[in-house]
Every structure is written in C-alpha cells, then in structure tokens.
Amino acid sequence: MLTLYPDSAKAQLIQEYLRVLKPGGRLLTHDMALKTTLARCEPLHQAVHVNAQPMLKEAWAALFRRAGFRQVCAKSGSMTLLSLRGLLYDEGPGGTLKIIHNGLKKENRQQFLHMCYRFRRQRHQLNYIAVASVK
C-alpha cells in the first residue's frame, strides 16, 4: 500500500514499477484516497500506527503520469476496509470468518477492534482508489 509511504517515497516506488515493467506492461494498484482536502489523517495514523498519507484521486493519477505512465485511469469509491460488507465482498464467507477469528484472538483483539472502529469513523473521509496505467 503506497499510502503507508511519504509522498517522496511514493514517487520513487512508482518509478521502480515503471522501470521493471516491459514496454506496454500494465500496472494496477489499489490504495486509500482522501475524499476532500479537509480530511484528517490523524485517526488513521492512530489506527495503523504509521504515518499513512492517502491523497486525493486527482493527486494519485498525477503521480503516475509524472512518473511516465500513460493511459492512467483512476477509479474510486466508498471505503469498506474492515467492514463486514467489505470483508465478505473481498474475502468471501470463509475468509471473512478466518479474519474475524484471528482478529478476535486475545493477542489481536484490542488492535483489531481499534482499527475497525477507526476505519468506520473515517469512512466519510476515505475512499478506495484503483489506478490502472500502461508503461
């Protein structure tokens, strides 16, 4: 997840993606995006214990274009990370049960519930983003 890196590191990582792709190669990334410039990231930082830096949809697309990718297409939508609906869609019933089972183990429970709470509280400020691009 590029969101977990500072903006300068994001640019370097995307340059590396470009370098290793064959000409005409396609890259699809999935990440977190801010819905507005007013969104606050501090609650997210507290949830994942890193200085996550999601960006606006337009900024994500521009980052890939500046790196040299072409045919950059960015799509975004409602963030469902760690929601029951999102887990079922992404992981299926069996995977969802496994994630919840592991998350609720004594050693994981406090962090897991804290992350679920924080992502739920931030859902109005965050989107998912998928960026497709071609070298």
Side-chain angles (χ1 to χ4, degrees), residues 23 42 69 119 121 125 133:
E42 293 82 20
F69 280 96
F119 279 112
R121 294 275 314 239
Q125 295 183 17
S133 52

Side-chain angles (χ1 to χ4, degrees), residues 46-114:
Q46 294 169 2
V48 295
H49 299 292
V50 295
N51 192 17
Q53 296 181 0
M55 303 183 303
L56 293 170
K57 177 182 175 181
E58 298 78 18
W60 279 112
L63 190 64
F64 283 82
R65 285 187 190 98
R66 280 193 307 274
F69 280 96
R70 55 190 175 83
Q71 298 177 18
V72 176
C73 177
K75 301 282 185 180
S76 63
S78 298
M79 174 73 89
T80 59
L81 188 63
L82 290 180
S83 72
L84 183 57
R85 181 178 67 125
L87 285 170
L88 286 168
Y89 182 81
D90 292 341
E91 307 296 335
T96 298
L97 288 173
K98 185 175 182 178
I99 289 169
I100 292 171
H101 172 76
N102 289 333
L104 294 177
K105 287 181 180 177
K106 185 178 179 181
E107 64 271 20
N108 302 328
R109 185 177 305 129
Q110 183 178 0
Q111 178 67 22
F112 179 73
L113 293 175
H114 181 69

Side-chain angles (χ1 to χ4, degrees), residues 6-18:
D7 292 346
S8 59
K10 286 180 184 79
Q12 290 176 339
L13 290 164
I14 292 171
Q15 284 288 331
E16 183 64 7
Y17 293 158
L18 186 70

